[in-house]
Amino acid sequence: MEPLSLHFLHEATGARFMDVGGREAVAGYGDGEGEYRAAHEAVALHDASYREILRITGEDRASFLHGMVTQEVKNLPVGSAAYAAMVNAKGAMVADARILKREADLLLELEPGTGTKVREFLDKYLISEDAELHEATGEHGLLRLLGPRSAGVLAAALGGPFEVLAHHATRTASLAGQDVVLVGNSAVEPHGVDVWVPRAGLEPVWRALTEAGAAHGLKPLGFEVLELLRVEAGVPRYGQDMVDTTIPLEANLASAISYNKGCYIGQEVIARATFRGHMNRKLTGLLLGDADVAPGTELRRGEKKVGWLTSVVRSPVKGQHVALGYVHRDSLEPGTELTLAGGPATAKVAALPFTPA
């Protein structure tokens, strides 16, 4: 397990650690309820530097990546970010990525444990293009702010006004003597901001944000509560809710797909599925009541298997266990009651997100 750069700092605050894709992450800081409340009512700070980074350089970098992902890259403005999927020729996912387009390179932010897989996938198709792939996890770290007071914390840390960033909008800044990139990330929480930091500068930036957040009720946020927030927001995670047989449209990733761009690997399959107008199964929400069951549990309607669970959490918003899971299109209507394998507990199909709009 690759340790966090700030392991010593988190350990000093009583953090528990866990393995996520072969990399160390903070599981929690001993006050899950407080972490959750801070993310909803104040501000929470998460060390996401366990995420992997791939860098692409060369004159053809944008056109090469454009042909490898479902999202627009060539016409993505410099300084912008975008979310994309990578699929194989059969339209099934290889991985997902957040792309940051900079003046001299492209950065791909990846789920931990997928960096080697993504590099091998891209390298397979890199033949005559002027593009080079570089492992860059050791160069960059990612810190994530969530909560309605995120902008106030950044204003205090930057020493000037900070306007809330739209999703994937970016801003460069100097924070604690470090050149950072701020990226709006409202996928899980409406006020979220990701702070891209040179890895060598993680400690001063973490301390500066913590100090600036003291007056705003900031709490450090562990991976377990981040997962709770993610599931309540209905956001799938590759490796948990998406695997190498998932077609992006099954996982509600329409926003990761550009229908105006040129060809890319797997485009024909995605286009056919879009033209057909439906998938045989889709990711949806499920209300479980008091049933505490594991991901992978089958869902049945009568004697027929109609799906399975992928993520399960206890939701404070719903006051019960809730899940993400795949369900056959004939059973997707909200309110449809399904049986959990092994019974007699049931699951009720629910619209996503679980959290109020």
Side-chain angles (χ1 to χ4, degrees):
M1 183 169 67
E2 183 71 23
L4 282 168
S5 296
L6 299 183
H7 176 99
F8 69 96
L9 191 152
H10 299 304
E11 187 176 43
T13 64
R16 291 183 295 108
F17 298 93
M18 64 185 293
D19 184 302
V20 181
R23 301 186 67 88
E24 184 180 65
V26 174
Y29 295 88
D31 181 15
E33 288 185 11
E35 295 172 36
Y36 180 87
R37 191 164 53 251
H40 276 291
E41 300 173 6
V43 59
L45 177 60
H46 177 69
D47 183 355
S49 59
Y50 51 83
R51 294 184 65 81
E52 296 189 38
I53 309 293
L54 187 67
R55 186 163 68 94
I56 308 179
T57 59
E59 288 296 318
D60 298 333
R61 61 188 181 276
S63 58
F64 168 67
L65 188 62
H66 187 85
M68 298 299 299
V69 300
T70 57
Q71 188 58 276
E72 174 68 52
V73 178
K74 282 196 293 189
N75 294 320
L76 184 68
V78 170
S80 297
Y83 175 62
M86 279 167 263
V87 298
N88 61 25
K90 296 182 179 180
M93 290 185 69
V94 174
D96 65 350
R98 295 194 184 274
I99 302 166
L100 179 60
K101 191 173 188 178
R102 304 195 300 179
E103 192 71 46
D105 58 19
L106 295 162
L107 296 180
L108 275 64
E109 176 206 338
L110 306 165
E111 284 290 334
T114 64
T116 299
K117 178 184 181 182
V118 168
R119 185 166 183 174
E120 289 174 352
F121 173 71
L122 295 177
D123 204 38
K124 176 182 176 182
Y125 293 94
L126 183 55
I127 301 171
S128 59
E129 295 86 354
D130 178 10
E132 293 185 36
L133 309 176
H134 311 269
E135 202 291 317
T137 308
E139 300 171 15
H140 304 275
L142 190 67
L143 304 178
R144 180 163 294 165
L145 287 163
L146 302 94
R149 299 180 188 171
S150 295
V153 171
L154 285 167
L158 296 171
F162 181 82
E163 295 293 329
V164 175
L165 290 170
H167 189 54
H168 286 157
T170 71
R171 172 183 164 182
T172 58
S174 177
L175 204 169
Q178 304 295 317
D179 292 328
V180 303
V181 180
L182 308 171
V183 182
N185 185 352
S186 58
V188 169
E189 196 281 325
H191 312 86
V193 179
D194 289 346
V195 185
W196 288 66
V197 185
R199 188 162 288 272
L202 276 170
E203 182 181 356
V205 172
W206 176 276
R207 292 189 184 279
L209 290 172
T210 301
E211 182 178 344
H216 296 271
L218 182 145
K219 282 187 174 292
L221 178 76
F223 187 84
E224 291 174 347
V225 174
L226 182 64
E227 280 288 274
L228 167 55
L229 295 165
R230 176 187 69 77
V231 173
E232 287 188 330
V235 177
R237 180 167 67 85
Y238 188 83
Q240 184 70 36
D241 310 284
M242 302 179 288
V243 293
D244 59 8
T245 56
T246 305
I247 294 174
L249 291 169
E250 295 176 331
N252 305 321
L253 298 191
S255 64
I257 300 169
S258 169
Y259 293 100
N260 300 315
K261 59 178 287 184
C263 295
Y264 59 89
I265 305 298
Q267 182 190 31
E268 290 184 7
V269 177
I270 301 297
R272 282 200 304 270
T274 302
F275 178 76
R276 192 169 65 232
H278 68 262
M279 301 299 298
N280 285 332
R281 63 191 180 206
K282 290 288 289 287
L283 190 74
T284 189
L286 296 139
L287 303 174
L288 305 181
D290 291 330
D292 186 7
V293 291
T297 299
E298 286 187 5
L299 296 164
R300 296 183 174 275
R301 193 171 185 182
E303 296 300 313
K304 185 179 179 182
K305 177 186 175 182
V306 296
W308 67 94
L309 306 181
T310 57
S311 290
V312 182
V313 298
R314 176 79 186 183
S315 167
V317 167
K318 291 298 184 182
Q320 60 180 298
H321 285 96
V322 303
L324 300 181
Y326 288 94
V327 173
H328 190 274
R329 60 189 175 92
D330 292 339
S331 300
L332 276 171
E333 182 68 25
T336 301
E337 194 164 281
L338 307 174
T339 303
L340 293 164
T346 59
K348 187 174 290 186
V349 175
L352 293 173
F354 293 109
T355 47

